[in-house]
Amino acid sequence: MEQIIRIAVQKSGRLSDDSLSLIKECGIKFYNGTGKLKSTATNFPVEFLFLRDDDIPGYVADGVADLGIVGENELVEKDKDVLTLKKLGFSKCRLSLAIPKGEEYPGIHYFQGKNIATSYPKILGDYLQSQQIKAEIHEISGSVEIAPSIGLAEGICDIVSSGSTLLMNGLKEVEEIFKSEAVLIGNQDMADWKKAIVDKLLFRINAVQKGKSNKYVLMNVPNSSISRVIELIPGMRSPTILPLAQEGWSSVHSVLSEDQFWENIEELRAAGAEGILVVPIEKMVI
Ligand code: PRT
Ligand code: ZN
Protein backbone atom coordinates (compact mmCIF):
# COMPACT_ATOMS: atom_id res chain seq x y z
CA MET A 1 0.00 0.00 0.00
CA GLU A 2 1.19 3.46 -0.82
CA GLN A 3 2.31 5.27 2.30
CA ILE A 4 0.20 8.38 2.41
CA ILE A 5 -1.46 10.35 5.20
CA ARG A 6 -4.86 12.00 5.12
CA ILE A 7 -5.53 15.57 6.16
CA ALA A 8 -9.04 16.91 6.65
CA VAL A 9 -9.64 20.54 5.69
CA GLN A 10 -12.81 22.59 5.58
CA LYS A 11 -14.56 22.28 2.24
CA SER A 12 -15.79 25.84 2.06
CA GLY A 13 -15.96 28.50 4.72
CA ARG A 14 -13.82 30.78 6.81
CA LEU A 15 -11.01 28.26 7.28
CA SER A 16 -10.71 26.99 3.72
CA ASP A 17 -8.71 29.66 1.91
CA ASP A 18 -6.07 30.06 4.60
CA SER A 19 -5.78 26.30 5.11
CA LEU A 20 -5.15 25.75 1.40
CA SER A 21 -2.77 28.72 1.17
CA LEU A 22 -0.70 27.30 4.02
CA ILE A 23 -0.50 23.93 2.27
CA LYS A 24 0.57 25.62 -0.97
CA GLU A 25 3.15 27.74 0.87
CA CYS A 26 4.56 24.47 2.19
CA GLY A 27 5.30 23.62 -1.43
CA ILE A 28 2.60 20.93 -1.62
CA LYS A 29 0.84 20.77 -4.98
CA PHE A 30 -2.61 19.34 -5.55
CA TYR A 31 -5.66 19.81 -7.74
CA ASN A 32 -8.59 21.40 -5.97
CA GLY A 33 -11.51 21.23 -8.39
CA THR A 34 -14.82 22.64 -7.17
CA GLY A 35 -17.09 20.08 -5.56
CA LYS A 36 -14.30 17.55 -5.08
CA LEU A 37 -14.34 15.68 -1.78
CA LYS A 38 -10.84 14.23 -2.07
CA SER A 39 -7.60 15.19 -3.71
CA THR A 40 -4.11 13.68 -3.65
CA ALA A 41 -1.01 15.86 -3.64
CA THR A 42 1.34 15.31 -6.56
CA ASN A 43 4.63 15.95 -4.74
CA PHE A 44 4.04 15.03 -1.06
CA PRO A 45 2.52 11.85 0.44
CA VAL A 46 -0.75 13.41 1.52
CA GLU A 47 -4.38 13.11 0.52
CA PHE A 48 -6.91 15.84 1.37
CA LEU A 49 -10.46 15.28 2.52
CA PHE A 50 -12.74 18.29 2.13
CA LEU A 51 -15.33 18.27 4.94
CA ARG A 52 -17.58 20.44 7.08
CA ASP A 53 -15.53 21.82 9.94
CA ASP A 54 -17.92 20.29 12.52
CA ASP A 55 -16.93 16.81 11.36
CA ILE A 56 -13.16 17.31 11.38
CA PRO A 57 -12.38 16.62 15.09
CA GLY A 58 -14.42 13.38 14.98
CA TYR A 59 -12.82 12.14 11.76
CA VAL A 60 -9.34 12.77 13.18
CA ALA A 61 -10.20 11.12 16.52
CA ASP A 62 -11.52 8.05 14.65
CA GLY A 63 -8.46 7.88 12.40
CA VAL A 64 -10.45 8.39 9.18
CA ALA A 65 -8.11 11.36 8.76
CA ASP A 66 -4.65 11.51 10.38
CA LEU A 67 -4.55 15.31 10.53
CA GLY A 68 -7.07 18.11 10.39
CA ILE A 69 -7.25 21.88 10.35
CA VAL A 70 -10.03 23.28 12.51
CA GLY A 71 -10.89 26.23 14.77
CA GLU A 72 -10.13 25.76 18.47
CA ASN A 73 -13.78 26.61 19.18
CA GLU A 74 -14.95 23.55 17.18
CA LEU A 75 -12.19 21.41 18.66
CA VAL A 76 -13.03 22.18 22.28
CA GLU A 77 -16.78 22.04 21.68
CA LYS A 78 -16.60 18.61 20.04
CA ASP A 79 -14.42 17.38 22.92
CA LYS A 80 -12.70 14.57 20.99
CA ASP A 81 -9.41 12.96 21.96
CA VAL A 82 -6.95 14.35 19.44
CA LEU A 83 -3.51 15.95 19.61
CA THR A 84 -3.15 19.68 19.02
CA LEU A 85 0.05 19.83 16.99
CA LYS A 86 0.35 23.47 16.01
CA LYS A 87 -1.44 26.79 16.29
CA LEU A 88 -1.73 28.18 12.78
CA GLY A 89 -2.37 31.86 13.44
CA PHE A 90 -5.36 32.39 11.11
CA SER A 91 -9.18 32.45 11.49
CA LYS A 92 -8.75 34.22 14.81
CA CYS A 93 -11.96 35.00 16.66
CA ARG A 94 -13.50 34.94 20.12
CA LEU A 95 -16.55 33.39 21.69
CA SER A 96 -18.45 36.00 23.66
CA LEU A 97 -21.59 36.56 25.64
CA ALA A 98 -23.79 39.38 24.34
CA ILE A 99 -27.03 41.02 25.48
CA PRO A 100 -29.41 43.63 24.02
CA LYS A 101 -27.56 46.93 23.92
CA GLY A 102 -30.14 48.83 26.00
CA GLU A 103 -29.66 46.50 28.96
CA GLU A 104 -27.53 47.44 31.93
CA TYR A 105 -24.77 44.89 32.52
CA PRO A 106 -23.71 44.60 36.16
CA GLY A 107 -21.40 41.58 35.72
CA ILE A 108 -21.60 37.87 35.02
CA HIS A 109 -24.39 37.36 37.63
CA TYR A 110 -26.63 39.12 35.07
CA PHE A 111 -26.96 35.71 33.46
CA GLN A 112 -28.16 33.93 36.63
CA GLY A 113 -31.44 32.19 35.76
CA LYS A 114 -31.49 33.64 32.21
CA ASN A 115 -31.85 31.92 28.83
CA ILE A 116 -28.78 31.98 26.59
CA ALA A 117 -28.82 30.86 22.95
CA THR A 118 -25.64 29.36 21.48
CA SER A 119 -24.14 26.82 19.11
CA TYR A 120 -21.46 26.10 21.72
CA PRO A 121 -23.29 24.47 24.65
CA LYS A 122 -20.21 22.70 26.01
CA ILE A 123 -17.86 25.71 26.08
CA LEU A 124 -20.62 27.91 27.46
CA GLY A 125 -21.70 25.29 30.02
CA ASP A 126 -18.13 24.87 31.29
CA TYR A 127 -17.69 28.62 31.51
CA LEU A 128 -20.94 29.20 33.41
CA GLN A 129 -20.03 26.41 35.79
CA SER A 130 -16.61 27.95 36.42
CA GLN A 131 -18.39 31.22 37.25
CA GLN A 132 -21.01 29.43 39.38
CA ILE A 133 -23.83 30.74 37.24
CA LYS A 134 -26.93 28.65 36.61
CA ALA A 135 -28.54 29.58 33.31
CA GLU A 136 -30.64 27.84 30.67
CA ILE A 137 -28.65 27.03 27.53
CA HIS A 138 -30.65 26.90 24.28
CA GLU A 139 -28.65 25.13 21.62
CA ILE A 140 -29.35 26.42 18.13
CA SER A 141 -27.27 25.72 15.07
CA GLY A 142 -27.27 29.07 13.31
CA SER A 143 -28.42 32.71 13.31
CA VAL A 144 -27.84 32.82 17.05
CA GLU A 145 -27.75 36.62 16.97
CA ILE A 146 -31.47 36.93 16.27
CA ALA A 147 -32.49 34.87 19.35
CA PRO A 148 -33.05 37.86 21.70
CA SER A 149 -35.14 39.84 19.18
CA ILE A 150 -37.51 36.89 18.61
CA GLY A 151 -37.87 36.26 22.34
CA LEU A 152 -35.99 32.94 22.38
CA ALA A 153 -33.32 34.03 24.82
CA GLU A 154 -32.19 37.02 26.85
CA GLY A 155 -28.58 36.68 25.81
CA ILE A 156 -26.41 34.86 23.31
CA CYS A 157 -23.00 33.26 23.22
CA ASP A 158 -21.50 33.36 19.73
CA ILE A 159 -18.37 33.83 17.68
CA VAL A 160 -17.32 37.45 17.32
CA SER A 161 -14.71 38.77 14.96
CA SER A 162 -15.22 42.43 14.01
CA GLY A 163 -18.33 42.80 16.21
CA SER A 164 -20.46 44.13 13.36
CA THR A 165 -22.96 41.22 13.45
CA LEU A 166 -23.70 41.99 17.11
CA LEU A 167 -24.03 45.68 16.34
CA MET A 168 -26.40 45.08 13.43
CA ASN A 169 -28.61 42.99 15.69
CA GLY A 170 -28.79 45.52 18.51
CA LEU A 171 -26.54 43.51 20.83
CA LYS A 172 -23.45 44.36 22.87
CA GLU A 173 -20.56 42.10 23.80
CA VAL A 174 -20.27 41.79 27.58
CA GLU A 175 -17.90 38.86 28.29
CA GLU A 176 -15.25 37.18 26.18
CA ILE A 177 -15.22 33.54 27.25
CA PHE A 178 -12.89 31.82 24.76
CA LYS A 179 -10.22 32.82 22.22
CA SER A 180 -9.80 30.78 19.08
CA GLU A 181 -7.56 30.37 16.06
CA ALA A 182 -7.06 27.61 13.51
CA VAL A 183 -5.02 24.65 14.74
CA LEU A 184 -3.49 21.55 13.18
CA ILE A 185 -4.79 18.49 15.01
CA GLY A 186 -3.63 14.89 14.77
CA ASN A 187 -4.80 11.38 15.58
CA GLN A 188 -3.36 10.06 18.84
CA ASP A 189 -2.30 6.63 17.60
CA MET A 190 -0.45 7.24 14.36
CA ALA A 191 1.98 4.61 13.09
CA ASP A 192 5.64 5.65 13.08
CA TRP A 193 5.76 6.02 9.30
CA LYS A 194 2.82 8.42 9.51
CA LYS A 195 4.50 10.39 12.28
CA ALA A 196 7.56 10.75 10.06
CA ILE A 197 5.44 12.35 7.31
CA VAL A 198 3.72 14.59 9.88
CA ASP A 199 7.15 15.73 11.13
CA LYS A 200 8.14 16.67 7.58
CA LEU A 201 4.94 18.67 7.21
CA LEU A 202 5.46 20.39 10.58
CA PHE A 203 9.03 21.25 9.57
CA ARG A 204 7.68 23.00 6.46
CA ILE A 205 4.90 24.78 8.39
CA ASN A 206 7.49 26.07 10.88
CA ALA A 207 9.68 27.33 8.03
CA VAL A 208 6.72 29.15 6.46
CA GLN A 209 5.64 30.67 9.79
CA LYS A 210 9.16 31.82 10.67
CA GLY A 211 9.53 33.32 7.20
CA LYS A 212 6.29 35.26 7.63
CA SER A 213 7.28 36.76 10.95
CA ASN A 214 10.73 37.81 9.76
CA LYS A 215 12.07 40.19 7.11
CA TYR A 216 15.25 40.33 5.12
CA VAL A 217 16.65 43.83 5.61
CA LEU A 218 19.35 45.53 3.50
CA MET A 219 20.85 48.96 4.07
CA ASN A 220 23.82 51.11 3.16
CA VAL A 221 25.96 52.04 6.13
CA PRO A 222 29.08 54.21 6.49
CA ASN A 223 31.92 51.89 7.56
CA SER A 224 32.42 53.86 10.76
CA SER A 225 28.88 52.87 11.88
CA ILE A 226 28.96 49.17 11.06
CA SER A 227 29.56 47.98 14.62
CA ARG A 228 26.67 50.10 15.92
CA VAL A 229 24.35 48.80 13.18
CA ILE A 230 25.33 45.18 13.93
CA GLU A 231 24.29 45.72 17.55
CA LEU A 232 20.89 46.90 16.37
CA ILE A 233 20.26 44.11 13.82
CA PRO A 234 22.19 41.03 14.95
CA GLY A 235 20.50 38.69 12.40
CA MET A 236 20.48 34.89 12.41
CA ARG A 237 24.18 34.22 12.99
CA SER A 238 25.55 37.64 12.17
CA PRO A 239 24.79 40.16 9.41
CA THR A 240 26.38 39.96 5.95
CA ILE A 241 28.62 42.93 5.12
CA LEU A 242 29.49 43.70 1.50
CA PRO A 243 31.57 46.66 0.31
CA LEU A 244 29.81 49.25 -1.86
CA ALA A 245 31.53 50.55 -4.98
CA GLN A 246 31.77 53.89 -3.18
CA GLU A 247 34.74 53.95 -0.78
CA GLY A 248 33.90 54.04 2.94
CA TRP A 249 30.42 52.48 2.63
CA SER A 250 29.06 48.96 3.02
CA SER A 251 25.83 47.15 2.40
CA VAL A 252 24.61 45.38 5.55
CA HIS A 253 22.12 42.48 5.17
CA SER A 254 20.32 40.89 8.07
CA VAL A 255 17.19 38.99 9.09
CA LEU A 256 14.97 40.24 11.88
CA SER A 257 11.41 40.27 13.04
CA GLU A 258 9.29 43.05 11.65
CA ASP A 259 8.64 44.36 15.19
CA GLN A 260 12.37 44.46 15.89
CA PHE A 261 12.88 46.39 12.66
CA TRP A 262 10.32 49.07 13.54
CA GLU A 263 11.67 49.34 17.07
CA ASN A 264 15.18 50.00 15.79
CA ILE A 265 14.50 52.07 12.68
CA GLU A 266 15.17 55.48 14.27
CA GLU A 267 18.44 54.32 15.79
CA LEU A 268 19.53 52.75 12.51
CA ARG A 269 18.96 56.05 10.73
CA ALA A 270 20.68 57.94 13.51
CA ALA A 271 23.67 55.60 13.02
CA GLY A 272 23.80 56.73 9.36
CA ALA A 273 22.02 53.80 7.69
CA GLU A 274 20.29 54.78 4.45
CA GLY A 275 18.66 53.17 1.42
CA ILE A 276 16.95 50.69 3.74
CA LEU A 277 15.06 47.87 1.99
CA VAL A 278 12.76 45.40 3.76
CA VAL A 279 12.07 42.22 1.79
CA PRO A 280 9.60 39.42 2.60
CA ILE A 281 10.99 35.94 3.31
CA GLU A 282 9.15 32.97 1.84
CA LYS A 283 10.66 30.26 4.04
CA MET A 284 13.18 30.23 6.82
CA VAL A 285 15.06 27.27 8.29
CA ILE A 286 17.32 27.98 11.23
O1 PRT B 1 -19.97 24.66 6.56
P1 PRT B 1 -19.08 24.47 7.74
O2 PRT B 1 -19.77 23.77 8.90
O3 PRT B 1 -17.78 23.84 7.36
O4 PRT B 1 -18.68 25.94 8.23
P2 PRT B 1 -19.32 26.86 9.39
O5 PRT B 1 -20.36 27.70 8.77
O6 PRT B 1 -19.64 26.06 10.60
O7 PRT B 1 -18.06 27.72 9.82
P3 PRT B 1 -17.43 29.05 9.19
O8 PRT B 1 -16.82 28.75 7.86
O9 PRT B 1 -18.36 30.20 9.29
O10 PRT B 1 -16.27 29.28 10.28
C1 PRT B 1 -15.26 28.34 10.43
C2 PRT B 1 -14.40 28.76 11.62
O11 PRT B 1 -13.85 30.07 11.38
C3 PRT B 1 -15.13 28.93 12.94
O12 PRT B 1 -15.32 27.71 13.61
C4 PRT B 1 -14.19 29.84 13.71
O13 PRT B 1 -13.13 29.09 14.27
C5 PRT B 1 -13.58 30.72 12.61
N1 PRT B 1 -14.14 32.10 12.53
C6 PRT B 1 -13.38 33.23 12.49
C7 PRT B 1 -15.42 32.48 12.50
C8 PRT B 1 -15.44 33.88 12.42
N2 PRT B 1 -14.16 34.31 12.41
C9 PRT B 1 -16.72 34.56 12.34
N3 PRT B 1 -16.72 35.80 12.29
N4 PRT B 1 -16.58 31.76 12.50
C10 PRT B 1 -17.74 32.40 12.42
N5 PRT B 1 -17.87 33.76 12.35
C11 PRT B 1 -19.28 34.31 12.26
C12 PRT B 1 -20.02 34.31 13.60
O14 PRT B 1 -20.70 33.09 13.80
C13 PRT B 1 -20.99 35.47 13.45
O15 PRT B 1 -22.15 35.08 12.76
O16 PRT B 1 -19.29 35.63 11.83
C14 PRT B 1 -20.21 36.41 12.58
C15 PRT B 1 -19.49 37.40 13.45
O17 PRT B 1 -18.54 38.10 12.72
P4 PRT B 1 -18.35 39.67 12.97
O18 PRT B 1 -17.14 40.03 12.17
O19 PRT B 1 -19.58 40.37 12.49
O20 PRT B 1 -18.12 39.87 14.46
ZN1 ZN C 1 -19.49 24.17 10.89
mmCIF file of all heavy atoms in Angstrom, residues 57-74:
data_model
loop_
_atom_site.group_PDB
_atom_site.id
_atom_site.type_symbol
_atom_site.label_atom_id
_atom_site.label_comp_id
_atom_site.label_asym_id
_atom_site.label_seq_id
_atom_site.Cartn_x
_atom_site.Cartn_y
_atom_site.Cartn_z
ATOM 1 N N PRO A 57 -12.947 17.233 13.876
ATOM 2 C CA PRO A 57 -12.378 16.617 15.089
ATOM 3 C C PRO A 57 -12.741 15.132 15.213
ATOM 4 O O PRO A 57 -11.887 14.306 15.553
ATOM 5 C CB PRO A 57 -12.989 17.433 16.239
ATOM 6 C CG PRO A 57 -13.310 18.759 15.623
ATOM 7 C CD PRO A 57 -13.735 18.441 14.210
ATOM 8 N N GLY A 58 -13.974 14.770 14.880
ATOM 9 C CA GLY A 58 -14.417 13.382 14.979
ATOM 10 C C GLY A 58 -13.676 12.481 14.000
ATOM 11 O O GLY A 58 -13.240 11.380 14.354
ATOM 12 N N TYR A 59 -13.523 12.946 12.764
ATOM 13 C CA TYR A 59 -12.820 12.140 11.762
ATOM 14 C C TYR A 59 -11.364 11.902 12.162
ATOM 15 O O TYR A 59 -10.826 10.831 11.941
ATOM 16 C CB TYR A 59 -12.858 12.827 10.390
ATOM 17 C CG TYR A 59 -14.111 12.535 9.589
ATOM 18 C CD1 TYR A 59 -15.356 12.955 10.023
ATOM 19 C CD2 TYR A 59 -14.034 11.847 8.386
ATOM 20 C CE1 TYR A 59 -16.503 12.692 9.299
ATOM 21 C CE2 TYR A 59 -15.174 11.574 7.643
ATOM 22 C CZ TYR A 59 -16.408 11.996 8.108
ATOM 23 O OH TYR A 59 -17.542 11.713 7.391
ATOM 24 N N VAL A 60 -10.749 12.922 12.766
ATOM 25 C CA VAL A 60 -9.345 12.769 13.181
ATOM 26 C C VAL A 60 -9.267 11.845 14.403
ATOM 27 O O VAL A 60 -8.395 10.981 14.482
ATOM 28 C CB VAL A 60 -8.693 14.145 13.457
ATOM 29 C CG1 VAL A 60 -7.304 13.977 14.062
ATOM 30 C CG2 VAL A 60 -8.607 14.958 12.168
ATOM 31 N N ALA A 61 -10.202 11.992 15.332
ATOM 32 C CA ALA A 61 -10.199 11.120 16.519
ATOM 33 C C ALA A 61 -10.383 9.655 16.107
ATOM 34 O O ALA A 61 -9.737 8.762 16.643
ATOM 35 C CB ALA A 61 -11.304 11.547 17.488
ATOM 36 N N ASP A 62 -11.245 9.419 15.097
ATOM 37 C CA ASP A 62 -11.517 8.045 14.651
ATOM 38 C C ASP A 62 -10.432 7.483 13.744
ATOM 39 O O ASP A 62 -10.479 6.311 13.381
ATOM 40 C CB ASP A 62 -12.844 7.987 13.869
ATOM 41 C CG ASP A 62 -14.017 8.377 14.744
ATOM 42 O OD1 ASP A 62 -13.847 8.387 15.972
ATOM 43 O OD2 ASP A 62 -15.094 8.682 14.186
ATOM 44 N N GLY A 63 -9.535 8.356 13.287
ATOM 45 C CA GLY A 63 -8.465 7.882 12.403
ATOM 46 C C GLY A 63 -8.871 7.815 10.941
ATOM 47 O O GLY A 63 -8.118 7.317 10.104
ATOM 48 N N VAL A 64 -10.069 8.310 10.604
ATOM 49 C CA VAL A 64 -10.447 8.387 9.182
ATOM 50 C C VAL A 64 -9.495 9.367 8.491
ATOM 51 O O VAL A 64 -9.046 9.143 7.375
ATOM 52 C CB VAL A 64 -11.915 8.848 9.026
ATOM 53 C CG1 VAL A 64 -12.262 9.079 7.569
ATOM 54 C CG2 VAL A 64 -12.845 7.837 9.666
ATOM 55 N N ALA A 65 -9.181 10.455 9.206
ATOM 56 C CA ALA A 65 -8.109 11.358 8.763
ATOM 57 C C ALA A 65 -7.020 11.315 9.838
ATOM 58 O O ALA A 65 -7.308 11.105 11.014
ATOM 59 C CB ALA A 65 -8.643 12.777 8.599
ATOM 60 N N ASP A 66 -5.757 11.490 9.409
ATOM 61 C CA ASP A 66 -4.650 11.512 10.377
ATOM 62 C C ASP A 66 -4.483 12.902 10.960
ATOM 63 O O ASP A 66 -4.133 13.066 12.126
ATOM 64 C CB ASP A 66 -3.350 11.097 9.683
ATOM 65 C CG ASP A 66 -3.496 9.720 9.051
ATOM 66 O OD1 ASP A 66 -3.659 8.759 9.813
ATOM 67 O OD2 ASP A 66 -3.496 9.623 7.802
ATOM 68 N N LEU A 67 -4.708 13.908 10.108
ATOM 69 C CA LEU A 67 -4.551 15.305 10.529
ATOM 70 C C LEU A 67 -5.798 16.078 10.146
ATOM 71 O O LEU A 67 -6.559 15.655 9.274
ATOM 72 C CB LEU A 67 -3.359 15.960 9.806
ATOM 73 C CG LEU A 67 -1.963 15.398 10.019
ATOM 74 C CD1 LEU A 67 -0.970 16.170 9.159
ATOM 75 C CD2 LEU A 67 -1.568 15.494 11.500
ATOM 76 N N GLY A 68 -5.969 17.247 10.774
ATOM 77 C CA GLY A 68 -7.073 18.109 10.387
ATOM 78 C C GLY A 68 -6.740 19.541 10.723
ATOM 79 O O GLY A 68 -5.906 19.801 11.604
ATOM 80 N N ILE A 69 -7.381 20.463 10.011
ATOM 81 C CA ILE A 69 -7.247 21.883 10.348
ATOM 82 C C ILE A 69 -8.622 22.377 10.750
ATOM 83 O O ILE A 69 -9.585 22.258 9.979
ATOM 84 C CB ILE A 69 -6.691 22.703 9.163
ATOM 85 C CG1 ILE A 69 -5.281 22.226 8.804
ATOM 86 C CG2 ILE A 69 -6.685 24.207 9.513
ATOM 87 C CD1 ILE A 69 -4.657 22.951 7.612
ATOM 88 N N VAL A 70 -8.717 22.910 11.973
ATOM 89 C CA VAL A 70 -10.027 23.277 12.509
ATOM 90 C C VAL A 70 -9.863 24.425 13.503
ATOM 91 O O VAL A 70 -8.761 24.631 14.035
ATOM 92 C CB VAL A 70 -10.660 22.008 13.161
ATOM 93 C CG1 VAL A 70 -9.997 21.643 14.466
ATOM 94 C CG2 VAL A 70 -12.140 22.161 13.352
ATOM 95 N N GLY A 71 -10.935 25.173 13.763
ATOM 96 C CA GLY A 71 -10.888 26.233 14.766
ATOM 97 C C GLY A 71 -10.881 25.625 16.170
ATOM 98 O O GLY A 71 -11.523 24.598 16.405
ATOM 99 N N GLU A 72 -10.170 26.286 17.096
ATOM 100 C CA GLU A 72 -10.130 25.761 18.474
ATOM 101 C C GLU A 72 -11.525 25.698 19.090
ATOM 102 O O GLU A 72 -11.805 24.837 19.921
ATOM 103 C CB GLU A 72 -9.226 26.644 19.342
ATOM 104 C CG GLU A 72 -7.765 26.475 19.044
ATOM 105 C CD GLU A 72 -6.926 27.503 19.780
ATOM 106 O OE1 GLU A 72 -7.126 28.717 19.540
ATOM 107 O OE2 GLU A 72 -6.086 27.111 20.590
ATOM 108 N N ASN A 73 -12.409 26.616 18.667
ATOM 109 C CA ASN A 73 -13.781 26.607 19.185
ATOM 110 C C ASN A 73 -14.469 25.282 18.854
ATOM 111 O O ASN A 73 -15.081 24.664 19.715
ATOM 112 C CB ASN A 73 -14.580 27.797 18.623
ATOM 113 C CG ASN A 73 -14.506 27.911 17.111
ATOM 114 O OD1 ASN A 73 -13.424 27.894 16.539
ATOM 115 N ND2 ASN A 73 -15.639 28.001 16.462
ATOM 116 N N GLU A 74 -14.349 24.827 17.603
ATOM 117 C CA GLU A 74 -14.953 23.552 17.183
ATOM 118 C C GLU A 74 -14.282 22.389 17.908
ATOM 119 O O GLU A 74 -14.925 21.439 18.335
ATOM 120 C CB GLU A 74 -14.730 23.341 15.693
ATOM 121 C CG GLU A 74 -15.875 23.472 14.722
ATOM 122 C CD GLU A 74 -17.277 23.477 15.226
ATOM 123 O OE1 GLU A 74 -17.708 22.447 15.796
ATOM 124 O OE2 GLU A 74 -17.973 24.475 15.042
#
